[in-house]
Amino acid sequence: MLYLPPDAENKQEKSAVNWPERFQELAKTAKHPALKRYYEAGIASADIAIEYVPMVAVDFETTGMNPNKHGIISIAVVPMTLGRIDMSKAQQWVVKPRRLLTEESVTIHGITHSEIEQAPDLAEIIDPLLNAVAGKVWVVHYNGIERPFLQGAFEERLNETIHFPLIDTMEIEARFHRQKRSLWDKLTGKKPVSIRLADSRERYNLPFYAPHDAMTDALACGELLQAQVAHHFAAETAISDIWLP
């Protein structure tokens, strides 16, 4: 039996964007050729079952958490469907940020100044990046990184941005594990359930992967989505019940 969380109806209302039509409109106004081709490739309709939707798990490593102050330094994309993750077609790029690395970010992801010194600017990989994600629904863990960072990077380099729906595995975990805390929980100091990537994977008995590598995190995110759908939804669930507009 398919279980829908209490906010399912509200979520469906928020997901009412007609993305195929929106992509057609954006294709007409996009100026950069790669961005125009990305929109022309189209996107899944809201009523298509997730089992039929081509997806791509995506992860960025960045110099920090604020898209207005920090930049992207690594991008990984892993093509997937609900039934398969295709590592043979996975791609990863290291790019040189226009904002300096911090000691904290180097400690987290291990990418150093010397590694990015000869790396290309993100502008040079826009074509292969958009080719890799064209026609696919993005899957990320925490939509506060991938979409706003990419939108900001495009605005800075192209003077136009990018729009797309995505599936956020962190948001899915929040739906099922961040219900309103009871008074007893508050009185006893019980902490909210962690919805970090590694902790979320542990709930589904998925193996531990060392974090903060873009390719590994993208793979981890894709596997997590497959487990989430198997436990909480059904293969025939409409993509609009799962993605964020």
Side-chain angles (χ1 to χ4, degrees), residues 5 21 30 32 37-38 41 59 61 82 91 106 126 145 155 157 178-179 181 192 197:
E21 287 189 3
H32 192 280
R37 289 194 300 271
Y38 171 73
D59 186 78
E61 295 300 318
L82 189 59
Q91 298 182 67
V106 171
I126 286 176
I145 293 291
E155 288 173 354
R157 290 160 177 83
R178 283 287 179 90
Q179 305 282 343
R181 296 174 69 199
L197 182 56

Side-chain angles (χ1 to χ4, degrees), residues 24-233:
Q24 290 177 6
E25 295 169 357
L26 291 167
K28 296 176 182 178
T29 59
K31 298 176 182 177
H32 192 280
L35 192 56
K36 181 178 289 289
R37 289 194 300 271
Y38 171 73
Y39 290 132
E40 288 174 344
I43 197 71
S45 298
D47 58 350
I48 293 180
I50 190 173
E51 63 181 323
Y52 302 121
V53 175
M55 297 175 281
V56 59
V58 181
D59 186 78
F60 294 170
E61 295 300 318
T62 63
T63 60
M65 297 293 288
N66 187 335
N68 296 317
K69 297 180 179 180
H70 303 122
I72 300 168
I73 57 173
S74 180
I75 303 173
V77 297
V78 180
M80 64 173 290
T81 63
L82 189 59
R84 182 189 181 198
I85 294 176
D86 191 354
M87 291 303 294
S88 69
K89 296 181 180 177
Q91 298 182 67
Q92 184 172 10
W93 300 270
V94 174
V95 295
K96 189 173 183 178
R98 295 185 177 181
R99 294 160 181 82
L100 295 176
L101 288 175
T102 64
E103 290 185 8
E104 181 182 7
S105 65
V106 171
T107 301
I108 291 173
H109 50 62
I111 299 175
T112 63
H113 293 276
S114 60
E115 290 180 84
I116 66 170
E117 189 61 34
Q118 302 302 318
D121 185 87
L122 189 144
E124 298 180 42
I125 66 137
I126 286 176
D127 280 52
L129 172 61
L130 291 183
N131 285 338
V133 299
K136 302 177 178 67
V137 173
W138 289 48
V139 181
V140 305
H141 193 78
Y142 182 46
N143 72 90
I145 293 291
E146 279 73 16
R147 190 156 54 183
F149 266 88
L150 191 64
Q151 288 176 330
F154 272 38
E155 288 173 354
E156 186 175 10
R157 290 160 177 83
L158 307 180
N159 291 319
E160 59 180 327
T161 192
I162 183 171
H163 302 280
F164 51 88
L166 52 74
I167 296 171
D168 183 354
T169 53
M170 177 180 279
E171 185 273 335
I172 292 174
E173 284 301 283
R175 285 196 235 174
F176 293 96
H177 300 288
R178 283 287 179 90
Q179 305 282 343
K180 186 176 181 180
R181 296 174 69 199
S182 68
L183 178 60
W184 177 251
D185 287 343
K186 295 177 182 179
L187 290 174
T188 57
K190 184 178 179 180
K191 296 181 179 179
V193 172
S194 172
I195 54 176
R196 290 177 177 270
L197 182 56
D199 295 325
S200 298
R201 286 175 58 83
E202 186 177 2
R203 273 191 289 275
Y204 301 94
N205 297 314
L206 295 171
F208 173 78
Y209 295 154
H212 305 305
D213 170 79
M215 184 65 78
T216 303
D217 286 351
L219 171 61
C221 179
E223 291 178 343
L224 176 58
L225 176 65
Q226 291 176 326
Q228 289 173 323
V229 173
H231 281 76
H232 301 302
F233 300 97

